[in-house]
Amino acid sequence: MTPTQLAIISILIGISPLLIALLGSLLARLLGCEQKGGGVSKCYFCGKDIGGILYGMMMMHWLVIITGGIAIFGITASLLWTYVSLTWAIASIVAPFALGLVGAILSYIPILTGFRAVDIQLSPVVSGILTDNNKPVAGATIVRYLEYGSYNDNTAITDDDGNFSFPAHNIRSLRPGWFAERSKPTLAKHGIFLRQQDDHINLFSWQSHYSLLQHPLSQVLTNLQCDLAQKSETYVITSTVKPLYVSALCKLPPQNVIPASN
């Protein structure tokens, strides 16, 4: 190959999308195809509708954005080959594509390796009242356990009326972006327990995958009515993602909540 041949090939590559688009438009006219909204429809050749193929050919002109750049690199390389050296010509072609490839790989590293942190609300605001046979339980230790890759817990003491509360808990996690997380997701866990010496009585708990963290739990968790005389039940909290199964000793508000037995 000579510098002149390289320049000619580069120019042909650069204008090839335009040539294909012109050919598609010409064939559509010769075949008398019906054109609607910039597309081709009801275009038959040998009994087959080729309207989609012709429309695709006519849209090829957009590729000039890419092939035009290739043509410029090729013409630049041919000039360097002629007036400088073949080494510089090869470098002018290889370097831009190598840099582009490295940039593309680096742009995907955050996605594949989890270096892009995600804001996650492991728990909205929690508040409720603890009773025993409808009598307030004061001075009880309530523990909230949260887990998603890492572990967190905090405590609250019920007041004289049995009330307790926890603030919302938000984290920034790299975990949702990890490649391995897509094949085996980490369970997100949420639990509210009454601590009695070494025992923990479950008041409200659930576990799910990351995609289920955005459930409508705020209304549920800001009005917990927990009576120790009640039996624990399993509830289903509905959402646009998937049903979320909750084990609770607390009576939950009816919005988006149904007993699992139903």
Side-chain angles (χ1 to χ4, degrees):
M1 180 182 292
T2 65
T4 302
Q5 291 174 334
L6 177 59
I8 294 173
I9 292 173
S10 300
I11 293 172
L12 290 176
I13 291 174
I15 66 174
S16 59
L18 295 176
L19 296 177
I20 295 173
L22 289 173
L23 177 60
S25 179
L26 178 61
L27 290 174
R29 291 183 181 181
L30 291 176
L31 295 173
C33 303
E34 182 180 348
Q35 300 188 33
K36 291 182 178 180
V40 180
S41 61
K42 296 181 180 180
C43 188
Y44 294 94
F45 179 73
C46 295
K48 294 185 178 180
D49 184 6
I50 61 171
I53 297 175
L54 295 180
Y55 177 71
M57 294 175 63
M58 294 165 63
M59 291 295 103
M60 290 289 285
H61 67 275
W62 288 105
L63 289 178
V64 171
I65 298 174
I66 299 175
T67 60
I70 295 175
I72 292 173
F73 288 132
I75 294 171
T76 302
S78 67
L79 293 174
L80 289 172
W81 189 355
T82 301
Y83 298 105
V84 184
S85 68
L86 177 60
T87 302
W88 279 97
I90 295 174
S92 69
I93 295 176
V94 174
F97 289 99
L99 290 174
L101 179 61
V102 171
I105 293 173
L106 292 177
S107 68
Y108 275 94
I109 285 178
I111 299 174
L112 297 178
T113 61
F115 290 149
R116 183 173 298 169
V118 178
D119 291 320
I120 300 173
Q121 184 181 77
L122 289 185
S123 174
V125 173
V126 176
S127 63
I129 182 171
L130 179 66
T131 59
D132 189 358
N133 280 319
N134 295 321
K135 296 181 180 180
V137 178
T141 301
I142 309 298
V143 184
R144 179 176 65 179
Y145 292 94
L146 302 172
E147 184 177 349
Y148 180 63
S150 59
Y151 175 80
N152 174 273
D153 69 80
N154 47 352
T155 61
I157 306 298
T158 58
D159 62 16
D160 293 340
D161 297 321
N163 296 306
F164 62 90
S165 64
F166 296 93
H169 187 80
N170 303 309
I171 64 170
R172 284 183 61 82
S173 175
L174 303 174
R175 187 168 294 274
W178 286 99
F179 182 77
E181 190 77 359
R182 303 177 188 180
S183 59
K184 190 177 180 181
T186 302
L187 284 176
K189 300 178 182 180
H190 188 300
I192 300 173
F193 301 90
L194 168 64
R195 179 187 293 168
Q196 289 185 333
Q197 296 181 353
D198 295 332
D199 293 331
H200 289 74
I201 299 175
N202 177 56
L203 301 179
F204 182 98
S205 63
W206 58 268
Q207 63 181 24
S208 75
H209 297 306
Y210 166 71
S211 60
L212 299 179
L213 285 176
Q214 304 301 323
H215 270 278
L217 291 172
S218 56
Q219 294 182 350
V220 175
L221 289 171
T222 54
N223 190 26
L224 293 174
Q225 306 291 323
C226 309
D227 194 290
L228 297 177
Q230 301 292 326
K231 293 183 179 180
S232 180
E233 293 190 37
T234 300
Y235 297 89
V236 180
I237 300 179
T238 60
S239 77
T240 57
V241 184
K242 287 182 180 179
L244 180 64
Y245 290 86
V246 172
S247 176
L249 183 70
C250 308
K251 182 180 179 181
L252 306 184
Q255 295 89 348
N256 299 325
V257 178
I258 57 175
S261 59
N262 291 352

